[in-house]
Amino acid sequence: MKNSGPTREEIHRDTRIAVISGVWHGRIADGLLAGATSALEDSGCQFEIFHVSSSFDLPLIAQAALEGTWDGAVVLGVIMKGESSHFERLSEVVTKGLGEVTLQTRKPIGFGVLMVNTEKEGEERAGLSDSKEDRGREAAEWTLASTALLRQLRSHSSRT
């Protein structure tokens, strides 16, 4: 019988993931972080959590981590619509900034930043006991999958 290849734990054992988490909207942010850390613990990878006080700084902290020895990042946060246009501007800056960071560093970022109109919308996506989705877990799983795929592609490229 043909070997089915390495196990999930073997694939991720040497993977280092930075978890960058905003602190605004605490209950939602905590749910996102719990989902992400649960997925990372399940994978067997190495990870560390970095708390960021401002969503505006998420791209900067992600860039600092990925320019270092981290293989990928999970970026979590909550941007909630208010009475001003600040929501649209901040959402755009964070999204564009994280996209630029992943291309500049050539390392994956699991995007777990919720941009919601209400607290209820955030709670529905935060992986809480009554949530419909777990975007924190999904962001971590995306990061792990992309990290493994990039390793495979880079390994294949170095052999040719």
Side-chain angles (χ1 to χ4, degrees):
M1 179 179 215
K2 186 176 178 181
N3 184 346
S4 61
T7 66
R8 181 176 163 149
E9 289 76 20
E10 291 169 334
I11 291 170
H12 298 302
R13 179 180 36 230
D14 296 327
T15 301
R16 299 184 74 241
I17 303 296
V19 180
I20 300 154
S21 180
V23 297
W24 283 87
H25 307 288
R27 182 169 186 260
I28 300 168
D30 289 347
L32 292 169
L33 184 58
T37 56
S38 175
L40 296 172
E41 287 170 353
D42 290 349
S43 78
C45 78
Q46 302 168 43
F47 68 93
E48 188 171 343
I49 300 166
F50 302 93
H51 292 283
V52 179
S53 58
S54 168
S55 295
F56 185 80
D57 290 332
L58 291 170
L60 174 64
I61 303 305
Q63 183 175 32
L66 294 179
E67 286 176 344
T69 60
W70 299 99
D71 299 308
V74 178
V75 179
L76 309 168
V78 183
I79 303 173
M80 197 172 302
K81 189 166 188 160
E83 298 296 318
S84 70
S85 64
H86 177 74
F87 169 80
E88 285 82 9
R89 282 186 252 154
L90 182 58
S91 296
E92 183 179 339
V93 165
V94 170
T95 302
K96 185 177 180 184
L98 290 172
E100 289 174 2
V101 168
T102 196
L103 292 174
Q104 289 170 1
T105 61
R106 300 180 67 208
K107 295 180 181 179
I109 294 176
F111 190 86
V113 181
L114 301 182
M115 295 162 196
V116 296
N117 292 307
T118 65
E119 191 168 340
K120 184 176 187 320
E121 281 182 15
E123 290 171 349
E124 289 175 353
R125 299 166 65 195
L128 304 171
S129 60
D130 56 344
S131 295
K132 296 176 183 173
E133 300 175 52
D134 190 344
R135 299 300 291 214
R137 178 177 259 303
E138 291 172 4
E141 290 171 348
W142 297 329
T143 302
L144 291 167
S146 292
T147 301
L149 180 57
L150 283 168
R151 278 194 177 148
Q152 179 184 2
L153 291 168
R154 290 172 180 155
S155 172
H156 180 72
S157 294
S158 68
R159 285 187 268 155
T160 58

